[in-house]
Amino acid sequence: MTTLALVSCSESFNAARLLQGGAKAAQAASISNEQMQAYIAQSVAQLDAQATVLPSTNSYCQRLARITKGLNSVNGIPLNFKVYKTNEINAFACADGSVRVYSGLMDLMSDYEVLGVIGHEIGHVALEHTLKAYKNALLTSAMLDAVASTGDVAAVLSDSILGQLGASMVSAKFSRKQETAADDFSYDFMKGAGLNPMYLATAFEKLLGASEGGSATSSRVAEMFSSHPDTKARIERVTTKATADGFARPKQ
């Protein structure tokens, strides 16, 4: 950092950028959760438009409907489910309650394992991790500039901005503490539904195996796990907890 005795034009510019950053932070803080939900809905709509969304009559969708039967909301947020046809192994949930499951993940896992993954993803919604991540995205791009320039918090965002937001939701980087909290949410969700939470551990085992396959898909799964707590430690943690609660390892 330069000293105060060497003030230059470039430093003045940096100071202006700092002020601009402060204005962005203030603008983000002033956007209500309801307004954020409107932006999220726009982003989800673009993600759906860009993906191959399977129709409700498709066997994947019918299976997902069976898996999630009765799972209508979390913390008052209505949930809606769709399947993306892709070999990618992933699932994500957005703060507006949109849950998207990739057919590649469904191919890899049993019904209860898929439900364990969904429980983890909606845990991020229930604990407001996804909402906070979305707000943070406003501070690290030109998204907030677009909002400020219109003076309308309900403005329709450009395709490029929606693309940035969509990408941030699909590959959201949560803290290790948040990931652990979402694991706990899924565990309690499974146990509370009378299901064996050990399926969460076997789901992690399959994801770990998929990340070590050496393929392009494996590399993407490995990248997805890069910001998560150590996968083997997560498996051990869930297994130990489930064993203490009297659950046995399910037969595969």
Side-chain angles (χ1 to χ4, degrees):
M1 182 175 180
T2 53
T3 65
L4 291 176
L6 299 173
V7 176
S8 65
C9 291
S10 61
E11 288 176 283
S12 297
F13 173 73
N14 289 337
R17 292 190 65 182
L18 287 173
L19 290 174
Q20 184 184 48
K24 283 189 175 186
Q27 182 75 17
S30 70
I31 298 177
S32 70
N33 286 352
E34 291 75 16
Q35 292 160 344
M36 292 294 296
Q37 296 288 19
Y39 290 132
I40 293 167
Q42 291 179 43
S43 298
V44 172
Q46 190 192 63
L47 285 173
D48 288 350
Q50 293 174 340
T52 301
V53 179
L54 295 175
S56 60
T57 53
N58 183 272
S59 59
Y60 281 102
C61 296
Q62 291 175 344
R63 180 187 170 202
L64 185 60
R66 290 194 301 270
I67 292 171
T68 60
K69 185 177 180 180
L71 186 55
N72 301 317
S73 66
V74 60
N75 286 8
I77 301 172
L79 297 173
N80 68 89
F81 299 89
K82 291 184 180 180
V83 178
Y84 286 178
K85 177 60 176 173
T86 171
N87 291 330
E88 294 293 320
I89 300 170
N90 200 5
F92 65 92
C94 304
D96 70 335
S98 297
V99 182
R100 303 295 181 258
V101 183
Y102 291 19
S103 60
L105 183 135
M106 297 182 71
D107 288 336
L108 180 68
M109 297 184 179
S110 70
D111 288 1
Y112 290 142
E113 288 167 342
V114 171
L115 188 60
V117 171
I118 290 173
H120 174 92
E121 296 302 328
I122 65 174
H124 285 307
V125 176
L127 299 170
E128 296 191 347
H129 299 160
T130 53
L131 186 64
K132 291 173 183 175
Y134 196 94
K135 272 196 171 183
N136 287 340
L138 289 173
L139 300 177
T140 57
S141 73
M143 301 172 202
L144 199 58
D145 289 336
V147 176
S149 67
T150 63
D152 180 6
V153 293
V156 176
L157 302 182
S158 70
D159 287 346
S160 62
I161 291 175
L162 287 173
Q164 292 177 43
L165 284 171
S168 72
M169 290 191 294
V170 172
S171 58
K173 302 294 185 182
F174 298 111
S175 71
R176 292 172 183 264
K177 181 178 179 180
Q178 288 174 325
E179 292 291 359
T180 299
D183 287 351
D184 289 342
F185 183 96
S186 182
Y187 184 98
D188 293 340
F189 160 71
M190 296 283 285
K191 182 180 175 181
L195 303 174
N196 188 347
M198 196 78 79
Y199 281 107
L200 182 61
T202 60
F204 288 156
E205 288 173 352
K206 289 183 177 179
L207 287 171
L208 180 61
S211 72
E212 297 174 342
S215 65
T217 297
S218 299
S219 297
R220 284 188 284 272
V221 174
E223 182 181 358
M224 180 178 69
F225 269 122
S226 64
S227 64
H228 292 200
D230 179 73
T231 306
K232 291 181 180 178
R234 296 170 79 183
I235 293 168
E236 182 178 353
R237 182 172 179 271
V238 172
T239 300
T240 300
K241 191 174 180 179
T243 301
D245 283 341
F247 293 97
R249 183 180 176 85
K251 295 180 180 180
Q252 296 295 309

